[in-house]
Amino acid sequence: MPFLNRRNVVYREVRHRIRDGDLLLFRRRGWIAAAGRGEHSHAAKAAWWDEDLFCLEVRAWCGGRAVTLSSQVRRFPGRIDVFQVNPENRWPHYDRRGAVQYMRRLAGCDYGYLNLVLVALWHLPVVRRFLRAGADDRLGRRRPPFCSQACAMADRLGGGVDPVPFLADRMTEPADLARSPFYRYQFTLVP
């Protein structure tokens, strides 16, 4: 889903507006974005540790990790969209701290290549014709997550709100998160 009103903002000028648990969606050209349902190919969460703002993610080739958000803005200028989580506090029971804690605990986990392959296979017309997208979140917890699955799990299990309620976490792509009413686009980060 292209954003007609994309707003590029300088990271150092808006970093104070990014809150714990806000969603970071990365736009890239790549096979994940090409095979997926949107322009985003990677999902992560923002987290403050003292005065430092981090990007908590589960990334291919790295697994679960925490890196400074400033390092990612330099590496991917103009490609990180920040989405406010729980806009207007529509879900008052949402626990930002719990969601961030869940993501922190994924640091060091393996990347969910198998789950990602299963999602990619689901896009094949023959497979889609005979199988429905899963909605049961209990099935995906046996294997390591991929990026958007980890973010959905963090908000559902740690934060108490399922951001995509009719789709299992293991089937959740970055585009599903971008379309969820649980997140609202704020701005795009540039160095």
Side-chain angles (χ1 to χ4, degrees):
M1 170 174 100
F3 295 100
L4 300 177
N5 295 320
R6 191 175 308 279
R7 291 182 336 127
N8 287 338
V9 295
V10 176
Y11 169 72
R12 72 178 171 279
E13 294 174 4
V14 295
R15 71 188 289 270
H16 66 280
R17 292 180 46 199
I18 301 171
R19 297 181 59 199
D20 266 350
D22 279 352
L23 181 67
L24 307 171
L25 293 180
F26 291 60
R27 283 180 289 108
R28 273 195 295 190
R29 292 187 182 121
W31 69 275
I32 293 174
R37 294 187 298 265
E39 66 179 316
H40 296 101
S41 61
H42 182 60
K45 296 287 238 169
W48 284 96
W49 287 345
D50 299 323
E51 296 299 314
D52 297 317
L53 184 55
F54 278 79
C55 171
L56 305 178
E57 61 186 350
V58 178
R59 184 175 280 284
W61 314 115
C62 300
R65 69 181 189 163
V67 294
T68 60
L69 183 53
S70 60
S71 72
Q72 298 308 289
V73 172
R74 283 190 304 274
R75 187 172 178 197
F76 304 107
R79 297 196 179 243
I80 302 173
D81 296 331
V82 178
F83 286 74
Q84 176 187 15
V85 70
N86 194 14
E88 299 167 10
N89 201 31
R90 290 178 53 197
W91 294 265
H93 62 281
Y94 177 67
D95 181 2
R96 282 178 184 274
R97 175 191 255 162
V100 168
Q101 184 177 41
Y102 189 94
M103 283 298 289
R104 283 182 181 167
R105 289 183 176 159
L106 290 177
C109 78
D110 291 332
Y111 185 77
Y113 292 103
L114 181 58
N115 284 350
L116 187 63
V117 168
L118 294 174
V119 169
L121 288 174
W122 188 72
H123 286 283
L124 297 174
V126 173
V127 174
R128 284 188 85 140
R129 180 160 173 81
F130 296 105
L131 296 177
R132 291 197 165 279
D136 188 351
D137 286 314
R138 295 172 294 179
L139 299 176
R141 294 177 60 185
R142 291 182 229 134
R143 294 186 290 265
F146 56 92
C147 64
S148 49
Q149 177 185 5
C151 291
M153 290 171 68
D155 284 329
R156 184 176 62 80
L157 297 172
V161 174
D162 189 343
V164 189
F166 301 108
L167 186 63
D169 298 338
R170 72 184 189 286
M171 301 295 290
T172 302
E173 299 176 30
D176 299 317
L177 299 175
R179 286 189 292 269
S180 170
F182 189 62
Y183 309 106
R184 180 172 51 206
Y185 172 76
Q186 288 188 288
F187 39 72
T188 301
L189 301 173
V190 295

